[in-house]
Coordinates of all heavy atoms in Angstrom, one line a residue:
V24 N -16.3 15.5 -10.0 CA -15.3 14.7 -10.7 C -15.6 14.7 -12.2 O -16.8 14.4 -12.6 CB -15.3 13.3 -10.1 CG1 -14.4 12.4 -10.9 CG2 -15.0 13.3 -8.6
N25 N -14.6 15.0 -13.0 CA -14.8 14.9 -14.4 C -14.3 13.5 -14.9 O -13.7 12.8 -14.2 CB -14.2 16.1 -15.1 CG -12.7 16.2 -14.9 OD1 -12.0 15.1 -14.8 ND2 -12.2 17.4 -14.9
G26 N -14.4 13.3 -16.2 CA -14.0 12.0 -16.8 C -12.5 11.8 -16.7 O -12.1 10.6 -16.4
L27 N -11.7 12.8 -16.8 CA -10.3 12.7 -16.8 C -9.8 12.3 -15.4 O -9.0 11.3 -15.2 CB -9.6 14.0 -17.1 CG -8.1 14.0 -17.0 CD1 -7.4 13.0 -17.9 CD2 -7.5 15.4 -17.2
Q28 N -10.4 12.9 -14.3 CA -10.1 12.5 -13.0 C -10.5 11.1 -12.7 O -9.8 10.3 -12.0 CB -10.7 13.5 -12.0 CG -10.1 14.8 -12.0 CD -11.0 15.8 -11.2 OE1 -12.2 15.8 -11.2 NE2 -10.3 16.7 -10.5
A29 N -11.6 10.7 -13.1 CA -12.1 9.3 -12.9 C -11.2 8.3 -13.6 O -10.8 7.3 -13.0 CB -13.5 9.2 -13.4
R30 N -10.8 8.6 -14.8 CA -9.9 7.6 -15.5 C -8.5 7.6 -14.9 O -7.9 6.5 -14.8 CB -9.8 8.0 -17.0 CG -11.0 7.7 -17.8 CD -10.8 8.0 -19.3 NE -10.5 9.4 -19.6 CZ -11.4 10.3 -19.8 NH1 -12.7 10.1 -19.6 NH2 -11.0 11.6 -20.1
T31 N -8.0 8.7 -14.4 CA -6.7 8.8 -13.7 C -6.7 8.0 -12.5 O -5.8 7.2 -12.2 CB -6.3 10.3 -13.4 OG1 -6.3 11.0 -14.6 CG2 -5.0 10.3 -12.7
F32 N -7.8 8.1 -11.7 CA -7.9 7.3 -10.5 C -8.1 5.8 -10.8 O -7.5 5.0 -10.1 CB -9.2 7.8 -9.6 CG -9.2 7.2 -8.3 CD1 -8.3 7.6 -7.3 CD2 -10.2 6.2 -8.0 CE1 -8.4 7.0 -6.0 CE2 -10.2 5.7 -6.7 CZ -9.3 6.1 -5.7
G33 N -8.8 5.5 -11.9 CA -8.9 4.1 -12.3 C -7.6 3.5 -12.7 O -7.2 2.4 -12.4
V34 N -6.8 4.3 -13.4 CA -5.4 3.8 -13.8 C -4.5 3.6 -12.6 O -3.8 2.7 -12.5 CB -4.8 4.7 -14.9 CG1 -3.3 4.4 -15.1 CG2 -5.6 4.7 -16.2
W35 N -4.6 4.6 -11.7 CA -3.8 4.4 -10.4 C -4.2 3.2 -9.7 O -3.4 2.4 -9.2 CB -4.0 5.6 -9.5 CG -3.7 5.4 -8.1 CD1 -4.5 5.2 -7.1 CD2 -2.4 5.1 -7.6 NE1 -3.8 4.9 -5.9 CE2 -2.5 4.8 -6.2 CE3 -1.1 5.1 -8.2 CZ2 -1.4 4.5 -5.4 CZ3 0.0 4.8 -7.3 CH2 -0.2 4.5 -6.0
T36 N -5.5 2.9 -9.6 CA -6.0 1.7 -8.9 C -5.5 0.4 -9.6 O -5.1 -0.5 -9.0 CB -7.5 1.7 -8.8 OG1 -7.9 2.9 -8.2 CG2 -8.1 0.5 -8.1
L37 N -5.5 0.4 -10.9 CA -5.1 -0.7 -11.7 C -3.6 -0.9 -11.5 O -3.1 -2.0 -11.3 CB -5.4 -0.5 -13.2 CG -4.9 -1.6 -14.1 CD1 -5.6 -3.0 -13.8 CD2 -5.1 -1.2 -15.6
L38 N -2.8 0.2 -11.5 CA -1.3 0.1 -11.3 C -1.0 -0.5 -9.9 O -0.2 -1.3 -9.8 CB -0.7 1.4 -11.5 CG 0.8 1.5 -11.3 CD1 1.6 0.6 -12.2 CD2 1.3 3.0 -11.4
S39 N -1.7 0.0 -8.9 CA -1.5 -0.5 -7.6 C -1.8 -1.9 -7.5 O -1.1 -2.7 -6.8 CB -2.4 0.3 -6.6 OG -2.0 1.6 -6.5
S40 N -2.9 -2.4 -8.1 CA -3.3 -3.8 -8.1 C -2.2 -4.7 -8.7 O -1.9 -5.7 -8.2 CB -4.6 -4.0 -8.8 OG -5.6 -3.2 -8.2
V41 N -1.7 -4.2 -9.9 CA -0.6 -5.0 -10.5 C 0.6 -5.1 -9.6 O 1.2 -6.2 -9.5 CB -0.3 -4.4 -11.9 CG1 1.0 -5.0 -12.5 CG2 -1.4 -4.5 -12.9
I42 N 1.0 -4.0 -9.0 CA 2.2 -4.0 -8.1 C 1.9 -5.0 -7.0 O 2.8 -5.8 -6.6 CB 2.5 -2.6 -7.6 CG1 3.0 -1.7 -8.8 CG2 3.5 -2.6 -6.5 CD1 3.1 -0.3 -8.4
R43 N 0.7 -4.9 -6.4 CA 0.4 -5.8 -5.2 C 0.4 -7.2 -5.6 O 0.8 -8.1 -4.9 CB -0.9 -5.3 -4.6 CG -0.7 -3.9 -4.0 CD -2.0 -3.3 -3.6 NE -1.8 -1.9 -3.1 CZ -2.7 -1.0 -2.9 NH1 -4.0 -1.4 -3.1 NH2 -2.4 0.2 -2.5
C44 N -0.1 -7.5 -6.8 CA -0.2 -8.9 -7.3 C 1.3 -9.4 -7.5 O 1.6 -10.6 -7.2 CB -1.0 -9.1 -8.5 SG -2.8 -8.9 -8.2
L45 N 2.1 -8.6 -8.1 CA 3.5 -9.0 -8.4 C 4.2 -9.3 -7.0 O 5.0 -10.2 -6.9 CB 4.2 -8.0 -9.2 CG 3.8 -7.8 -10.6 CD1 4.5 -6.6 -11.3 CD2 4.1 -9.1 -11.4
C46 N 3.9 -8.5 -6.0 CA 4.6 -8.7 -4.7 C 4.1 -10.0 -4.1 O 4.9 -10.7 -3.5 CB 4.3 -7.5 -3.8 SG 5.1 -7.6 -2.2
A47 N 2.8 -10.3 -4.3 CA 2.3 -11.5 -3.8 C 2.9 -12.8 -4.5 O 3.2 -13.8 -3.8 CB 0.8 -11.6 -4.0
I48 N 3.3 -12.6 -5.7 CA 3.9 -13.7 -6.4 C 5.4 -13.8 -6.0 O 5.9 -15.0 -5.8 CB 3.9 -13.4 -8.0 CG1 2.4 -13.6 -8.4 CG2 4.8 -14.4 -8.7 CD1 2.2 -13.1 -9.8
D49 N 6.1 -12.7 -5.8 CA 7.5 -12.7 -5.4 C 7.7 -12.0 -4.1 O 8.2 -10.9 -4.1 CB 8.4 -12.1 -6.6 CG 9.8 -12.3 -6.3 OD1 10.2 -13.0 -5.4 OD2 10.6 -11.6 -7.1
I50 N 7.2 -12.5 -3.1 CA 7.2 -11.8 -1.8 C 8.6 -11.6 -1.2 O 8.8 -10.7 -0.4 CB 6.3 -12.6 -0.8 CG1 6.0 -11.7 0.5 CG2 7.0 -13.8 -0.3 CD1 4.6 -11.2 0.5
R51 N 9.6 -12.3 -1.7 CA 10.9 -12.2 -1.1 C 11.7 -11.1 -1.8 O 12.9 -10.8 -1.5 CB 11.7 -13.5 -1.2 CG 11.1 -14.5 -0.2 CD 11.9 -15.8 -0.2 NE 11.4 -16.7 0.8 CZ 10.4 -17.5 0.6 NH1 9.8 -17.6 -0.6 NH2 10.0 -18.3 1.6
N52 N 11.2 -10.5 -2.9 CA 11.8 -9.4 -3.6 C 11.7 -8.1 -2.7 O 10.6 -7.5 -2.7 CB 11.2 -9.2 -5.0 CG 11.9 -8.2 -5.8 OD1 12.5 -7.2 -5.3 ND2 11.7 -8.3 -7.1
R53 N 12.8 -7.7 -2.1 CA 12.7 -6.6 -1.1 C 12.3 -5.3 -1.8 O 11.5 -4.5 -1.2 CB 14.1 -6.4 -0.4 CG 14.4 -7.6 0.5 CD 15.8 -7.5 1.0 NE 16.0 -6.2 1.7 CZ 16.0 -6.1 3.0 NH1 15.8 -7.1 3.7 NH2 16.2 -4.9 3.5
T54 N 12.8 -5.0 -3.0 CA 12.5 -3.8 -3.7 C 11.0 -3.7 -4.0 O 10.3 -2.7 -3.7 CB 13.3 -3.6 -5.0 OG1 14.7 -3.7 -4.7 CG2 13.0 -2.3 -5.7
L55 N 10.4 -4.8 -4.5 CA 9.0 -4.9 -4.8 C 8.2 -4.8 -3.5 O 7.1 -4.2 -3.5 CB 8.7 -6.2 -5.5 CG 7.4 -6.3 -6.2 CD1 7.1 -5.1 -7.1 CD2 7.3 -7.6 -7.0
Y56 N 8.7 -5.4 -2.4 CA 8.0 -5.3 -1.1 C 7.9 -3.9 -0.7 O 6.8 -3.5 -0.2 CB 8.8 -6.2 -0.1 CG 8.0 -6.5 1.1 CD1 7.2 -7.7 1.2 CD2 8.0 -5.7 2.2 CE1 6.5 -8.0 2.3 CE2 7.3 -6.1 3.4 CZ 6.5 -7.2 3.4 OH 5.8 -7.5 4.5
Y57 N 9.0 -3.1 -0.7 CA 8.9 -1.7 -0.3 C 8.0 -0.9 -1.2 O 7.3 0.0 -0.7 CB 10.4 -1.2 -0.3 CG 11.2 -1.6 0.9 CD1 12.4 -2.3 0.7 CD2 10.8 -1.4 2.2 CE1 13.1 -2.7 1.8 CE2 11.5 -1.8 3.3 CZ 12.7 -2.5 3.1 OH 13.4 -2.9 4.1
I58 N 8.1 -1.2 -2.5 CA 7.2 -0.4 -3.4 C 5.7 -0.7 -3.1 O 4.9 0.2 -3.1 CB 7.5 -0.8 -4.9 CG1 8.9 -0.2 -5.3 CG2 6.4 -0.2 -5.8 CD1 9.4 -0.7 -6.6
T59 N 5.4 -2.0 -2.8 CA 4.0 -2.3 -2.5 C 3.6 -1.7 -1.2 O 2.5 -1.1 -1.1 CB 3.9 -3.9 -2.3 OG1 4.3 -4.4 -3.6 CG2 2.5 -4.3 -2.0
L60 N 4.5 -1.7 -0.2 CA 4.2 -1.0 1.1 C 3.9 0.5 0.9 O 3.0 1.1 1.4 CB 5.4 -1.2 2.1 CG 5.3 -0.6 3.5 CD1 4.0 -1.2 4.2 CD2 6.5 -0.9 4.2
F61 N 4.7 1.1 0.0 CA 4.6 2.5 -0.3 C 3.2 2.8 -1.0 O 2.6 3.8 -0.7 CB 5.7 3.0 -1.2 CG 5.7 4.4 -1.5 CD1 5.9 5.4 -0.5 CD2 5.4 4.9 -2.8 CE1 5.9 6.7 -0.8 CE2 5.4 6.3 -3.1 CZ 5.7 7.2 -2.1
T62 N 2.7 1.8 -1.8 CA 1.4 2.1 -2.4 C 0.3 2.1 -1.4 O -0.7 2.9 -1.5 CB 1.0 1.0 -3.5 OG1 0.9 -0.3 -2.8 CG2 2.1 0.9 -4.6
F63 N 0.4 1.3 -0.3 CA -0.6 1.4 0.8 C -0.5 2.7 1.5 O -1.5 3.2 1.9 CB -0.4 0.1 1.7 CG -1.0 -1.1 1.1 CD1 -0.1 -2.2 0.8 CD2 -2.3 -1.3 0.8 CE1 -0.6 -3.4 0.2 CE2 -2.8 -2.5 0.2 CZ -1.9 -3.5 0.0
F64 N 0.8 3.1 1.8 CA 0.9 4.4 2.4 C 0.3 5.6 1.6 O -0.4 6.4 2.1 CB 2.4 4.8 2.7 CG 2.9 4.2 3.9 CD1 3.9 3.2 3.9 CD2 2.4 4.6 5.2 CE1 4.5 2.7 5.1 CE2 2.9 4.0 6.4 CZ 4.0 3.1 6.3
L65 N 0.5 5.5 0.3 CA -0.1 6.5 -0.6 C -1.6 6.5 -0.5 O -2.2 7.6 -0.5 CB 0.4 6.3 -2.0 CG 1.8 6.9 -2.4 CD1 2.1 6.5 -3.8 CD2 1.8 8.4 -2.2
A66 N -2.2 5.3 -0.6 CA -3.6 5.2 -0.5 C -4.1 5.7 0.8 O -5.1 6.5 0.8 CB -4.0 3.7 -0.7
L67 N -3.5 5.4 1.9 CA -3.9 5.9 3.2 C -3.8 7.4 3.3 O -4.8 8.1 3.7 CB -3.0 5.2 4.3 CG -3.4 5.6 5.7 CD1 -4.8 5.0 6.1 CD2 -2.3 5.1 6.7
V68 N -2.7 8.0 2.8 CA -2.6 9.4 2.9 C -3.6 10.1 2.0 O -4.2 11.1 2.3 CB -1.1 9.8 2.5 CG1 -1.0 11.3 2.2 CG2 -0.1 9.4 3.6
H69 N -3.8 9.5 0.8 CA -4.8 10.1 -0.1 C -6.2 10.2 0.5 O -6.8 11.2 0.5 CB -4.9 9.3 -1.4 CG -6.0 9.6 -2.3 ND1 -6.1 10.8 -3.0 CD2 -7.2 8.9 -2.5 CE1 -7.3 10.8 -3.7 NE2 -7.9 9.7 -3.4
F70 N -6.7 9.1 1.0 CA -8.0 9.1 1.6 C -8.1 9.9 2.9 O -9.1 10.6 3.1 CB -8.5 7.6 1.9 CG -9.0 6.9 0.6 CD1 -8.1 6.0 0.0 CD2 -10.2 7.2 0.1 CE1 -8.5 5.4 -1.2 CE2 -10.6 6.6 -1.1 CZ -9.8 5.7 -1.7
L71 N -7.1 9.9 3.7 CA -7.1 10.7 4.9 C -7.1 12.2 4.5 O -7.8 13.0 5.1 CB -5.9 10.4 5.8 CG -6.0 9.1 6.6 CD1 -4.7 8.9 7.3 CD2 -7.1 9.1 7.5
S72 N -6.3 12.6 3.5 CA -6.3 14.0 3.1 C -7.7 14.4 2.5 O -8.1 15.6 2.7 CB -5.2 14.2 2.1 OG -5.4 13.6 0.9
E73 N -8.3 13.5 1.8 CA -9.6 13.9 1.2 C -10.7 14.1 2.3 O -11.5 15.0 2.2 CB -10.1 12.8 0.3 CG -9.3 12.7 -1.0 CD -9.4 13.9 -1.9 OE1 -10.4 14.6 -1.9 OE2 -8.4 14.1 -2.6
V74 N -10.5 13.4 3.4 CA -11.5 13.5 4.5 C -11.1 14.7 5.4 O -12.0 15.5 5.7 CB -11.6 12.2 5.3 CG1 -12.4 12.4 6.6 CG2 -12.1 11.1 4.5
F75 N -9.9 14.8 5.8 CA -9.6 15.8 6.9 C -8.9 17.1 6.4 O -9.0 18.1 7.1 CB -8.6 15.1 7.9 CG -9.3 14.0 8.6 CD1 -8.9 12.7 8.4 CD2 -10.3 14.2 9.5 CE1 -9.5 11.6 9.1 CE2 -10.9 13.2 10.2 CZ -10.5 11.9 10.0
I76 N -8.3 17.1 5.2 CA -7.7 18.3 4.7 C -8.6 19.0 3.7 O -9.0 20.2 3.9 CB -6.3 18.0 4.1 CG1 -5.4 17.5 5.2 CG2 -5.8 19.3 3.4 CD1 -4.1 17.0 4.7
Y77 N -9.0 18.3 2.6 CA -9.8 18.9 1.6 C -11.3 18.9 1.8 O -12.1 19.6 1.2 CB -9.5 18.2 0.2 CG -8.0 18.3 -0.1 CD1 -7.3 17.2 -0.2 CD2 -7.5 19.5 -0.4 CE1 -5.9 17.2 -0.5 CE2 -6.1 19.6 -0.7 CZ -5.3 18.5 -0.8 OH -4.0 18.6 -1.1
H78 N -11.8 18.0 2.7 CA -13.2 17.9 3.1 C -14.0 17.5 1.9 O -15.2 18.0 1.7 CB -13.7 19.1 3.8 CG -12.9 19.5 5.0 ND1 -13.0 18.8 6.2 CD2 -12.0 20.5 5.2 CE1 -12.2 19.3 7.0 NE2 -11.6 20.4 6.5
T79 N -13.5 16.7 1.0 CA -14.2 16.3 -0.2 C -14.9 15.0 -0.1 O -15.6 14.5 -1.0 CB -13.3 16.3 -1.5 OG1 -12.2 15.5 -1.2 CG2 -12.8 17.7 -1.8
A80 N -14.6 14.3 1.1 CA -15.2 13.0 1.3 C -15.6 13.0 2.8 O -15.0 13.6 3.6 CB -14.2 11.9 1.0
A81 N -16.7 12.2 3.1 CA -17.2 12.0 4.4 C -16.8 10.7 4.9 O -16.5 9.8 4.1 CB -18.7 12.2 4.5
L82 N -16.7 10.5 6.2 CA -16.3 9.2 6.7 C -17.5 8.2 6.7 O -18.1 7.9 7.7 CB -15.8 9.3 8.2 CG -14.4 9.6 8.4 CD1 -14.0 9.8 9.8 CD2 -13.5 8.6 7.8
T83 N -17.8 7.8 5.5 CA -18.8 6.8 5.2 C -18.1 5.4 5.0 O -16.9 5.3 5.0 CB -19.6 7.1 4.0 OG1 -18.8 7.1 2.9 CG2 -20.3 8.5 4.1
I84 N -18.9 4.4 4.9 CA -18.3 3.1 4.7 C -17.5 3.0 3.4 O -16.5 2.3 3.3 CB -19.4 2.0 4.7 CG1 -18.8 0.6 4.7 CG2 -20.3 2.1 3.5 CD1 -18.1 0.3 6.0
G85 N -17.9 3.8 2.4 CA -17.1 3.8 1.1 C -15.7 4.4 1.3 O -14.9 4.1 0.5
V86 N -15.5 5.2 2.3 CA -14.2 5.8 2.5 C -13.5 5.0 3.6 O -12.3 4.8 3.6 CB -14.3 7.3 2.9 CG1 -13.0 7.9 3.3 CG2 -14.9 8.1 1.7
M87 N -14.2 4.5 4.6 CA -13.6 3.8 5.7 C -13.1 2.5 5.2 O -12.1 2.0 5.8 CB -14.6 3.6 6.8 CG -14.9 4.9 7.5 SD -16.0 4.8 8.9 CE -15.2 3.7 10.0
A88 N -13.7 1.8 4.3 CA -13.2 0.5 3.8 C -11.8 0.6 3.2 O -10.9 -0.1 3.7 CB -14.2 -0.1 2.7
P89 N -11.5 1.6 2.3 CA -10.1 1.7 1.8 C -9.1 2.1 2.9 O -8.0 1.7 3.0 CB -10.1 2.7 0.7 CG -11.5 3.0 0.4 CD -12.4 2.4 1.5
L90 N -9.6 2.9 3.9 CA -8.7 3.3 5.0 C -8.4 2.1 5.9 O -7.2 1.9 6.3 CB -9.4 4.4 5.9 CG -9.5 5.8 5.3 CD1 -10.4 6.7 6.2 CD2 -8.1 6.4 5.2
M91 N -9.3 1.2 6.1 CA -9.1 0.0 6.9 C -8.2 -0.9 6.2 O -7.3 -1.5 6.7 CB -10.4 -0.6 7.3 CG -11.1 0.2 8.3 SD -12.6 -0.5 9.1 CE -13.3 -1.6 7.9
V92 N -8.4 -1.1 4.9 CA -7.6 -2.0 4.1 C -6.2 -1.5 4.0 O -5.2 -2.3 4.3 CB -8.2 -2.2 2.6 CG1 -7.2 -2.9 1.7 CG2 -9.5 -2.9 2.7
A93 N -6.0 -0.3 3.8 CA -4.6 0.3 3.8 C -4.0 0.2 5.1 O -2.8 -0.2 5.2 CB -4.7 1.8 3.3
S94 N -4.7 0.5 6.2 CA -4.1 0.5 7.5 C -3.7 -0.9 7.9 O -2.6 -1.2 8.4 CB -5.1 1.0 8.6 OG -5.4 2.3 8.3
F95 N -4.6 -1.9 7.7 CA -4.3 -3.3 8.1 C -3.2 -3.9 7.2 O -2.3 -4.7 7.6 CB -5.5 -4.2 8.1 CG -6.5 -3.9 9.2 CD1 -7.8 -3.7 8.9 CD2 -6.1 -3.7 10.5 CE1 -8.7 -3.4 9.9 CE2 -7.0 -3.5 11.5 CZ -8.3 -3.3 11.2
S96 N -3.2 -3.5 5.9 CA -2.1 -3.9 5.0 C -0.8 -3.4 5.4 O 0.2 -4.1 5.4 CB -2.5 -3.6 3.6 OG -3.7 -4.2 3.2
I97 N -0.7 -2.1 5.8 CA 0.5 -1.5 6.2 C 1.0 -2.3 7.5 O 2.2 -2.6 7.6 CB 0.4 0.0 6.5 CG1 0.2 0.7 5.2 CG2 1.6 0.5 7.3 CD1 -0.2 2.2 5.3
L98 N 0.1 -2.5 8.4 CA 0.5 -3.2 9.7 C 1.0 -4.6 9.3 O 2.1 -5.0 9.8 CB -0.7 -3.2 10.6 CG -0.5 -3.9 11.9 CD1 0.6 -3.2 12.8 CD2 -1.8 -4.0 12.7
G99 N 0.3 -5.3 8.5 CA 0.7 -6.7 8.2 C 2.0 -6.7 7.4 O 2.9 -7.5 7.7
M100 N 2.2 -5.7 6.5 CA 3.5 -5.7 5.8 C 4.7 -5.3 6.6 O 5.8 -5.8 6.4 CB 3.4 -4.8 4.5 CG 2.5 -5.4 3.5 SD 2.6 -4.5 1.9 CE 4.2 -5.1 1.3
L101 N 4.4 -4.4 7.6 CA 5.5 -4.1 8.5 C 5.9 -5.3 9.4 O 7.1 -5.5 9.7 CB 5.1 -2.9 9.4 CG 5.1 -1.5 8.6 CD1 4.6 -0.4 9.5 CD2 6.4 -1.2 8.0
I102 N 4.9 -6.0 9.8 CA 5.2 -7.2 10.6 C 5.9 -8.2 9.7 O 6.9 -8.8 10.1 CB 3.9 -7.8 11.2 CG1 3.4 -6.9 12.2 CG2 4.2 -9.2 11.7 CD1 2.0 -7.3 12.7
G103 N 5.5 -8.4 8.5 CA 6.1 -9.3 7.5 C 7.5 -8.9 7.1 O 8.4 -9.7 6.9
L104 N 7.8 -7.6 7.2 CA 9.1 -7.1 6.9 C 10.1 -7.6 7.8 O 11.3 -7.9 7.5 CB 9.1 -5.6 6.8 CG 10.3 -4.9 6.4 CD1 10.7 -5.2 5.0 CD2 10.2 -3.4 6.5
Q105 N 9.8 -7.7 9.1 CA 10.7 -8.3 10.1 C 11.1 -9.7 9.8 O 12.3 -10.1 9.9 CB 10.1 -8.2 11.5 CG 9.8 -6.8 12.0 CD 9.1 -6.8 13.3 OE1 8.5 -7.8 13.7 NE2 9.1 -5.7 14.0
Y106 N 10.1 -10.5 9.3 CA 10.4 -11.9 8.9 C 11.3 -11.9 7.6 O 12.1 -12.8 7.5 CB 9.2 -12.7 8.7 CG 8.5 -12.9 10.0 CD1 7.3 -12.2 10.3 CD2 8.9 -13.8 11.0 CE1 6.7 -12.4 11.5 CE2 8.3 -14.0 12.2 CZ 7.2 -13.3 12.5 OH 6.5 -13.5 13.6
L107 N 11.1 -11.0 6.7 CA 11.9 -10.9 5.5 C 13.3 -10.6 5.9 O 14.2 -11.1 5.3 CB 11.3 -9.8 4.6 CG 11.6 -9.8 3.2 CD1 11.2 -11.1 2.5 CD2 11.0 -8.6 2.4
E108 N 13.5 -9.7 6.9 CA 14.9 -9.3 7.3 C 15.5 -10.5 8.0 O 16.7 -10.8 7.7 CB 14.8 -8.1 8.3 CG 14.1 -6.9 7.8 CD 15.0 -5.9 7.1 OE1 16.2 -6.0 7.5 OE2 14.5 -5.2 6.3
V109 N 14.8 -11.2 8.8 CA 15.4 -12.4 9.5 C 15.8 -13.5 8.5 O 16.8 -14.1 8.6 CB 14.4 -13.0 10.5 CG1 14.8 -14.3 11.0 CG2 14.2 -12.0 11.7
E110 N 14.9 -13.7 7.5 CA 15.2 -14.7 6.4 C 16.5 -14.3 5.6 O 17.3 -15.1 5.3 CB 14.0 -14.8 5.5 CG 14.2 -15.9 4.5 CD 13.0 -16.1 3.6 OE1 11.9 -15.9 4.1 OE2 13.2 -16.3 2.4
A111 N 16.6 -13.0 5.3 CA 17.8 -12.5 4.6 C 19.1 -12.7 5.4 O 20.1 -13.1 4.9 CB 17.6 -11.1 4.2
L112 N 19.0 -12.5 6.7 CA 20.1 -12.7 7.6 C 20.5 -14.2 7.7 O 21.7 -14.5 7.7 CB 19.9 -12.1 9.0 CG 19.9 -10.6 9.1 CD1 19.5 -10.2 10.5 CD2 21.2 -10.0 8.7
S113 N 19.5 -15.0 7.8 CA 19.8 -16.5 7.9 C 20.4 -17.0 6.6 O 21.2 -17.9 6.6 CB 18.5 -17.2 8.3 OG 17.6 -17.2 7.3
Q114 N 20.0 -16.5 5.5 CA 20.5 -16.9 4.2 C 22.0 -16.5 4.0 O 22.8 -17.1 3.4 CB 19.7 -16.4 3.0 CG 18.4 -17.2 2.9 CD 17.6 -16.7 1.7 OE1 17.9 -15.7 1.0 NE2 16.5 -17.4 1.5
K115 N 22.3 -15.3 4.6 CA 23.7 -14.8 4.5 C 24.6 -15.7 5.4 O 25.8 -15.9 5.0 CB 23.8 -13.4 5.0 CG 23.3 -12.4 4.0 CD 23.5 -11.0 4.5 CE 22.9 -10.0 3.5 NZ 23.1 -8.6 4.0
K116 N 24.1 -16.3 6.4 CA 25.0 -17.1 7.3 C 25.3 -18.4 6.6 O 26.3 -19.1 6.9 CB 24.2 -17.4 8.6 CG 24.2 -16.2 9.5 CD 23.5 -16.5 10.8 CE 23.4 -15.3 11.7 NZ 22.7 -15.6 13.0
K117 N 24.4 -18.9 5.7 CA 24.7 -20.2 5.0 C 25.7 -20.1 4.1 O 26.5 -19.9 3.5 CB 23.4 -20.7 4.4 CG 22.3 -21.1 5.4 CD 21.1 -21.6 4.6 CE 20.0 -21.9 5.6 NZ 18.8 -22.4 5.0

């Protein structure tokens, strides 16, 4: 890894964090919710590809931790999405 790659990954991590914090502040914003969900999918695909396609990372705790965070976050957000849909429908009825 060179300095450019490290800084690019750092900026990506910072951008993802900002998006996720904004979603936490305004959880009912559907567009922001989908963008946040997409960031977790990207993280999951990135780490899985590094382990299983490019073989540049081993399944150590340092790689498994982001995989678990991304997986559980995707699962939680998909469950939360159902409640977001129900809430939107109930507001339309009013």
